[in-house]
Amino acid sequence: MKKNITLFVLCCGFIFSAGALAQVQQAVYQDEDTPPESFTILLKDEWSFLNEAVTQLKNETENKGEFETTEEFQTRITRSRDLLQNKLNTHLKETKLDRRVFGLWYKATLVSYNADAEIYSVKCATIIEAPYNIPTVDCLIPPNPYVDLSDSIRGGYRTSSIFLKFHPDFEWKVGRSEAQAAKGVEANLYFKVHFMVDLLQAGTALHGQLKIIAKDIALMNKSNNYVYWKSAIP
């Protein structure tokens, strides 16, 4: 009887530990469905924060003091850069940007289906506004096959947009029955892209990088989250 009680306690402890571990693992990344406007605001806020931080570094280290040796000047630059990096790292943790994953929806439009090749041509005209490059901050998306960033002039104002770079259309390899099913729910057909955001210094230059990192892309039914196609983004 005593052995059975001990075994029961051990099993309960294991279940509790496994549950706690699962909760910790689930908390590592926070997947958030994010409206485009909210993502744009977040990017602009981070752009402003990075610009202010880099501008402060530039003001502090751009010129060597009159009574400062070159060695002292270089030491001061290194110390200031280290302080900036610590500031960025602290900010990323405080805002949880180091583990937040933002899910953005891009409306998909079915163009035409080639029944012989089983290829559905799909367009996407959605763009999401993003900050543009300035002397103190580079905004970039690491090179990948699906998502890119472009500058443009709209209404006389410079702007930057995140878009899906299909040339000219996305070629979706899909069987006829599923293609027909997708056509029936086209109003709910979207590409979903997961992004992460990072802030860092760019090499030894006095400017920073706002990095918008595309993690994966999927073609989905937005109403029920059914996934027709998905690909990781290297």
Side-chain angles (χ1 to χ4, degrees), residues 127-146:
I127 59 173
I128 295 174
E129 187 180 351
Y132 49 80
N133 292 340
I134 56 176
T136 50
V137 179
D138 290 335
C139 301
L140 62 93
I141 293 178
N144 69 84
Y146 300 109

Side-chain angles (χ1 to χ4, degrees), residues 2-71:
K2 185 176 180 180
K3 184 183 293 185
N4 291 339
I5 293 174
T6 302
L7 182 60
F8 174 76
V9 171
L10 289 173
C11 289
C12 288
F14 174 77
I15 292 171
F16 174 78
S17 299
L21 178 61
Q23 287 182 342
V24 170
Q25 290 174 335
Q26 289 172 358
V28 171
Y29 291 105
Q30 300 176 359
D31 187 356
E32 307 173 29
D33 265 6
T34 309
E37 299 81 5
S38 298
F39 193 58
T40 296
I41 291 171
L42 180 140
L43 292 177
K44 289 184 175 181
D45 286 346
E46 297 308 318
W47 179 85
S48 297
F49 173 83
L50 187 55
N51 177 41
E52 290 176 7
V54 173
T55 299
Q56 181 180 349
L57 171 67
K58 187 174 182 179
N59 292 338
E60 291 175 352
T61 61
E62 195 167 25
N63 298 309
K64 185 169 84 66
E66 181 180 1
F67 300 102
E68 190 176 33
T69 67
T70 299
E71 183 179 354

Side-chain angles (χ1 to χ4, degrees), residues 167-178:
H167 301 292
D169 301 332
F170 173 68
E171 294 190 344
W172 175 28
K173 179 70 174 177
V174 58
R176 182 168 59 182
S177 60
E178 187 159 43

Side-chain angles (χ1 to χ4, degrees), residues 20-124:
L21 178 61
Q23 287 182 342
V24 170
Q25 290 174 335
Q26 289 172 358
V28 171
Y29 291 105
Q30 300 176 359
D31 187 356
E32 307 173 29
D33 265 6
T34 309
E37 299 81 5
S38 298
F39 193 58
T40 296
I41 291 171
L42 180 140
L43 292 177
K44 289 184 175 181
D45 286 346
E46 297 308 318
W47 179 85
S48 297
F49 173 83
L50 187 55
N51 177 41
E52 290 176 7
V54 173
T55 299
Q56 181 180 349
L57 171 67
K58 187 174 182 179
N59 292 338
E60 291 175 352
T61 61
E62 195 167 25
N63 298 309
K64 185 169 84 66
E66 181 180 1
F67 300 102
E68 190 176 33
T69 67
T70 299
E71 183 179 354
E72 289 170 338
F73 179 50
Q74 292 300 326
T75 299
R76 181 162 61 85
I77 290 176
T78 300
R79 183 169 60 250
S80 295
R81 289 181 60 83
D82 289 343
L83 289 173
L84 173 60
Q85 191 58 58
N86 289 337
K87 182 177 183 177
L88 297 182
N89 292 340
T90 299
H91 176 75
L92 289 171
K93 291 186 181 301
E94 288 178 346
T95 57
K96 299 181 180 178
L97 282 176
D98 58 337
R99 55 194 175 100
R100 292 173 71 185
V101 179
F102 303 94
L104 278 294
W105 296 94
Y106 287 76
K107 184 68 184 78
T109 301
L110 298 174
V111 180
S112 61
Y113 184 68
N114 184 327
D116 294 322
E118 294 190 325
I119 296 289
Y120 220 142
S121 296
V122 187
K123 283 186 178 295
C124 178

Side-chain angles (χ1 to χ4, degrees), residues 220-233:
M220 299 176 62
N221 182 331
K222 189 177 180 181
S223 66
N224 60 13
N225 287 326
Y226 179 80
V227 178
Y228 293 98
W229 167 86
K230 185 173 183 178
S231 175
I233 298 179

